[in-house]
């Protein structure tokens, strides 16, 4: 559960095979955001590649849930990687 406020000039990557929730009233203001229930290797991440693979033990109920406000800065991106994604909040991004 991500509650409260998160701000960064960089891309934030959060991985949890059981799911990730941005809580009601939470605010996230970042250049880029990846929320994932699928794993990736340290080697790929260090090389700037995010290759996601579901791992053994992935919860069948694993989901990315946004109930807050996610703001992606110009030139950034958001990726929600899971078997289920629920957006009950707001995602703001300039295309």
């Amino acid at each position: 559960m991500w509650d409260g406020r998160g701000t960064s000039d960089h891309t934030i990557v959060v991985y949890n095979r059981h799911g990730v929730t941005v809580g009601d009233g939470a605010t996230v203001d970042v250049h880029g955001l990846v929320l994932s229930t699928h794993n990736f290797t340290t080697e790929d991440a260090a090389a700037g590649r995010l290759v996601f693979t579901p791992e053994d033990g992935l919860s069948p109920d694993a989901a990315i849930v946004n109930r807050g406000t996610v703001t992606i800065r110009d030139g950034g991106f958001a990726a929600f990687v899971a078997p289920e994604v629920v957006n009950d909040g707001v995602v703001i991004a300039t295309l």
Side-chain angles (χ1 to χ4, degrees), residues 8-19:
S8 178
D9 292 330
H10 303 281
T11 296
I12 303 298
V13 179
V14 178
Y15 157 73
N16 185 328
R17 69 181 180 180
H18 299 289

Side-chain angles (χ1 to χ4, degrees), residues 66-87:
N66 176 36
R67 294 188 179 115
T69 301
V70 174
T71 302
I72 305 300
R73 298 188 187 154
D74 288 350
F77 67 93
F80 297 168
V81 182
E84 181 179 3
V85 175
V86 177
N87 184 30

Side-chain angles (χ1 to χ4, degrees), residues 6-72:
T7 303
S8 178
D9 292 330
H10 303 281
T11 296
I12 303 298
V13 179
V14 178
Y15 157 73
N16 185 328
R17 69 181 180 180
H18 299 289
V20 180
T21 298
V22 177
D24 186 32
T27 60
V28 180
D29 181 359
V30 294
H31 177 76
L33 180 65
V34 178
L35 304 178
S36 179
T37 61
H38 290 54
N39 201 4
F40 53 93
T41 66
T42 303
E43 294 80 16
D44 279 340
R49 295 183 304 265
L50 293 176
V51 178
F52 297 96
T53 306
E55 65 180 350
D56 292 339
L58 177 66
S59 171
D61 298 327
I64 304 301
V65 178
N66 176 36
R67 294 188 179 115
T69 301
V70 174
T71 302
I72 305 300

